[in-house]
Amino acid sequence: MKKLILASILAAAGTTAFAADTGTYVFGNLGVSANQWTAKDGAAAKAGVSDKKVNKDDATSGMFEVGVGQRINDNFAVEGSYLNHGDATELKGAGKLDYDAFRVAALGIIPVNDQFEVYGKVSASHIRSKFTATSAALQNSKDSTFGMGLGVGANYKLNKQVSLRAEYDGIGNIKHKDITDTAPVGALKVGVSYRF
């Protein structure tokens, strides 16, 4: 009988610990987004630019992201978010490419201890892009595309509600009509989450 009671207590304790990690949370991230796009041959020829690719030094910009997540269990969560790239990324002589994205993601989580965990991330994004021409030969335009990305990150729990997070997140490849079909996007982010 004592063994049965002890086993029941341990099972209940395990269930309580499991339940403590589930639930809804909101999060916000700040960081740096890189968008190193390449002009299509036709667009580059019209604009008269010989260097068709954005220089690495000009490819980064600040960004922010806000979202909501649902922790299903110790090892799995889903998230939805809105990400906004900061300043448009310029290809001198051709124009500027800017974007924002609506995103969904699945996280596979490995708890390291009670406070620290690491995760891998698979995301799908609806990316809205805007091209602002600086060459009279090109036209301003808007477009949208679908992007898939992979990421890695870590969470550090300050308490039961608040966690700090850091991640590298691949967002996808922007394909903007007549301008670029090679524009990989990624972001390095730090942020905070609050669990309800």
Side-chain angles (χ1 to χ4, degrees):
M1 185 67 175
K2 289 181 180 178
K3 289 182 180 180
L4 181 60
I5 293 171
L6 181 59
S8 299
I9 292 171
L10 290 175
T15 304
T16 303
F18 180 87
D21 275 340
T22 63
T24 304
Y25 59 94
V26 293
F27 63 91
N29 295 319
L30 295 175
V32 177
S33 174
N35 174 15
Q36 195 171 2
W37 63 279
T38 302
K40 286 185 175 181
D41 289 340
K46 284 182 182 179
V49 295
S50 56
D51 188 358
K52 299 187 296 182
K53 188 172 185 177
V54 175
N55 294 324
K56 288 184 179 178
D57 292 344
D58 300 325
T60 58
S61 174
M63 53 73 55
F64 73 87
E65 182 179 29
V66 292
V68 60
Q70 179 70 33
R71 183 71 174 255
I72 308 300
N73 57 40
D74 284 351
N75 302 112
F76 186 70
V78 292
E79 294 182 347
S81 65
Y82 169 75
L83 183 145
N84 187 282
H85 181 249
D87 296 328
T89 305
E90 182 178 8
L91 177 59
K92 292 178 174 63
K96 298 179 179 180
L97 189 66
D98 199 4
Y99 74 92
D100 63 359
F102 294 93
R103 316 184 65 218
V104 292
L107 282 63
I109 304 163
I110 301 174
V112 177
N113 56 40
D114 288 343
Q115 288 185 293
F116 185 70
E117 58 191 18
V118 295
Y119 58 86
K121 181 176 183 179
V122 178
S123 64
S125 301
H126 174 72
I127 305 170
R128 304 184 303 181
S129 56
K130 178 182 177 182
F131 177 73
T132 305
T134 54
S135 166
L138 300 175
Q139 294 183 338
N140 296 346
S141 59
K142 295 181 180 180
D143 202 359
S144 63
T145 190
F146 176 78
M148 294 291 295
L150 299 174
V152 293
N155 272 334
Y156 182 79
K157 299 176 186 177
L158 297 178
N159 55 48
K160 289 183 178 181
Q161 279 76 42
V162 181
S163 296
L164 302 178
R165 51 193 277 159
E167 62 182 35
Y168 174 77
D169 197 2
I171 296 165
N173 184 48
I174 298 173
K175 294 185 179 181
H176 191 99
K177 58 186 176 185
D178 302 325
I179 301 298
T180 181
D181 54 15
T182 306
V185 177
L188 185 63
K189 304 178 286 188
V190 294
V192 63
S193 67
Y194 180 83
R195 185 186 309 277
F196 295 103

